[in-house]
Amino acid sequence: MAEQMNDTDSFDICIIGAGVIGLAIAYALARKFEQQKLDILVLEQEASFGQHISSRNSEVIHAGIYYPANSLKAKLCVRGKELLYQHCEQFQVPYREIGKLIVGRENELEALLELQENAKNNGVFDLQLMDKAQTGKIEPALTADVALFSPSTGIIDSHSYMQSLLHLAQNRGVHFSPYSRVEGIAVKASGFLVRCLLDGAKNQEQYQFRCRHLINSAGLQAQSVANSIDAVPKEIIPALYYCKGDYFEYRSKNPFSHLVYPLPDPNTAGLGIHATMDLSSQLRFGPDSDYVSSLDYEVSADKAALFAEKIASYFPSITADKLKPAYAGIRPKLAGPGDPAADFMIQGYSEHHLPGLIQLFGIESPGLTASLAIAEKVAGSVIDL
Ligand SMILES: Cc1cc2nc3c(=O)[nH]c(=O)nc-3n(C[C@H](O)[C@H](O)[C@H](O)COP(=O)(O)OP(=O)(O)OC[C@H]3O[C@@H](n4cnc5c(N)ncnc54)[C@H](O)[C@@H]3O)c2cc1C
């Protein structure tokens, strides 16, 4: 049940959205301002944390291979990976640094070498090029002429990770209010007046409160929250495209001990349908990329044949009957179909000229990996408290 608030309530910082990004920011701010004992509030429209993008992904700790040099994605992924492995060790969050293979045919050697070079530019120096024999030795079920091995790629239990962030933040006094949907925000001289709908199982209630700092980490609704802030110039709110990715579970014994990725197709919005697994070694394949117009998480069994066809390029013994619809996630893309990939967008005072407001847009992959680094960056820019 949400904590009760009334219109005289006032908080130092309000964070909208309890996905992995909002939770990581709450924890970073609680640590940074531990001595000042600030009132920090995290609002979440759902009954619990992490019900949207943060629980509908591949749960991969990415190395930082693909993103353009100096992009936020590259810098925050590489820094985030380091922080995330440390966090997992320190707080017993289940993870495994199992490594990943990016596989190709002979004619894709050039593209793999380019990827290796790109990774180096991002500070990722541990990729190893493998020939057919070496690849076959570590993954006999694979068909690949050549591969890049990334030893620092891993998998994480994302639910336990988010739970750890919430727990650590709450231990430092952060308030968490589920069932609390932000509906409108007015900018005042002293900060923000936030209007919410408290939408519990039994009753609905409107309430509002004040805060000095506001962080919009509402994921797929970040643009709609931004539009509800009266003084934010509409022209700086980036366009949002929903890009759905479906996953299928493999019904048979997992033949792999590493993650397996094809080379990303330059014209697709994702990294290609890859083989990923959870910490119990349950193998799943996905995600594909489909631009959609609504938040529909249904996975159609009809796609199994198409998935099998794509996966067969590196795992020839796959058959469609071994694929069972699992779940889907939706990417909050800032680039439309066919457009070049967009970077994460973090807007502060220099973009909107509103003191105390930080907005995060387009936090798609590698947002889970980068979460602690994104939080570090956001906490670093909240200084006047
Ligand atoms: C298919 C897919 C695969 C991915 N794979 C990986 C991967 O393997 N590795 C990796 O590093 N990253 C991956 N990512 C990216 C990663 O999952 C995201 O970057 C990250 O989860 C984004 O978290 P978030 O907190 O911004 O969004 P969310 O988790 O969606 O959180 C936003 C929260 O805001 C709440 N909210 C929205 N509007 C309001 C409102 N008005 N009032 C109150 N609350 C509100 C929502 O309910 C939600 O809980 C993947 C993403 C997708 C879609």
Side-chain angles (χ1 to χ4, degrees):
M1 186 58 202
E3 294 168 40
Q4 281 297 323
M5 287 175 282
N6 59 53
D7 60 6
T8 62
D9 279 321
S10 172
F11 294 86
D12 295 297
I13 305 173
C14 169
I15 297 163
I16 304 170
V20 72
I21 302 300
L23 294 172
I25 292 171
Y27 173 45
L29 288 168
R31 271 199 309 173
K32 176 169 176 172
F33 296 110
E34 197 157 11
Q35 302 308 320
Q36 288 95 316
K37 304 241 173 300
L38 297 186
D39 271 326
I40 301 176
L41 171 68
V42 180
L43 292 173
E44 170 53 52
Q45 64 183 357
E46 303 290 356
S48 183
F49 62 86
Q51 302 290 297
H52 290 279
I53 322 177
S54 300
S55 56
R56 300 175 161 280
N57 55 55
S58 301
E59 297 190 294
V60 172
I61 301 178
H62 285 297
I65 299 169
Y66 304 93
Y67 320 107
N70 293 318
S71 61
L72 281 179
K73 283 184 178 173
K75 289 192 275 195
L76 297 173
C77 181
V78 172
R79 171 76 180 145
K81 170 183 67 172
E82 184 191 323
L83 294 173
L84 190 51
Y85 279 129
Q86 280 167 15
H87 181 98
C88 290
E89 273 297 310
Q90 192 177 351
F91 300 109
Q92 290 86 48
V93 175
Y95 78 99
R96 267 166 55 209
E97 203 169 342
I98 56 174
K100 120 175 172 181
L101 284 162
I102 307 170
V103 296
R105 297 294 186 174
E106 232 164 60
N107 62 358
E108 290 174 316
L109 173 63
E110 194 71 17
L112 284 173
L113 289 171
E114 273 172 30
L115 213 48
Q116 187 174 28
E117 206 46 43
N118 195 69
K120 279 186 195 157
N121 291 335
N122 291 344
V124 180
F125 299 102
D126 58 358
L127 299 190
Q128 300 155 31
L129 194 66
M130 290 185 169
D131 62 19
K132 190 174 180 153
Q134 289 167 313
T135 312
K137 201 164 170 193
I138 64 167
E139 289 294 1
L142 268 184
T143 296
D145 296 325
V146 62
L148 271 182
F149 178 60
S150 164
S152 69
T153 300
I155 50 175
I156 181 171
D157 175 344
S158 56
H159 184 82
S160 299
Y161 170 48
M162 286 189 276
Q163 206 151 37
S164 79
L165 293 170
L166 179 60
H167 182 73
L168 288 161
Q170 285 182 311
N171 278 351
R172 287 168 172 79
V174 169
H175 310 272
F176 174 51
S177 187
Y179 296 116
S180 304
R181 185 163 62 248
V182 173
E183 296 198 316
I185 297 156
V187 177
K188 302 285 174 194
S190 57
F192 304 89
L193 186 65
V194 182
R195 188 167 44 80
C196 301
L197 180 70
L198 185 70
D199 195 4
K202 294 203 181 117
N203 54 3
Q204 281 196 342
E205 200 184 316
Q206 294 277 351
Y207 68 94
Q208 59 181 12
F209 62 89
R210 286 181 295 277
C211 63
R212 289 161 63 200
H213 286 254
L214 186 69
I215 291 156
N216 171 6
S217 51
L220 293 159
Q221 274 89 36
Q223 275 83 344
S224 118
V225 168
N227 270 303
S228 79
I229 307 176
D230 58 6
V232 168
K234 300 292 174 254
E235 61 277 11
I236 68 159
I237 302 172
L240 167 68
Y241 303 88
Y242 291 157
C243 182
K244 188 175 173 201
D246 292 344
Y247 291 86
F248 281 76
E249 213 171 89
Y250 186 58
R251 287 186 210 250
S252 203
K253 191 170 175 298
N254 178 3
F256 301 128
S257 50
H258 304 88
L259 306 176
V260 181
Y261 283 59
L263 259 170
D265 178 342
N267 297 317
T268 67
L271 294 179
I273 294 174
H274 51 261
T276 183
M277 64 188 88
D278 61 22
L279 288 153
S280 65
S281 287
Q282 170 62 58
L283 181 63
R284 49 192 195 227
F285 291 97
D288 61 351
S289 315
D290 256 339
Y291 280 86
V292 293
S293 54
S294 63
L295 290 185
D296 172 8
Y297 292 125
E298 198 68 28
V299 179
S300 162
D302 297 346
K303 275 189 177 175
L306 191 65
F307 264 62
E309 197 185 307
K310 299 252 185 215
I311 298 161
S313 70
Y314 56 89
F315 179 34
S317 64
I318 186 84
T319 48
D321 60 307
K322 295 227 173 84
L323 294 173
K324 181 177 150 209
Y327 62 92
I330 296 183
R331 307 168 181 91
K333 284 205 171 282
L334 303 185
D339 291 343
D343 203 359
F344 293 155
M345 189 183 284
I346 303 178
Q347 288 187 348
Y349 182 82
S350 53
E351 285 80 23
H352 48 58
H353 306 295
L354 298 170
L357 177 66
I358 296 174
Q359 310 211 77
L360 297 105
F361 299 109
I363 312 297
E364 54 171 330
S365 193
L368 174 65
T369 309
S371 51
L372 292 171
I374 292 174
E376 187 176 64
K377 185 175 169 64
V378 169
S381 59
V382 178
I383 42 175
D384 55 337
L385 275 164

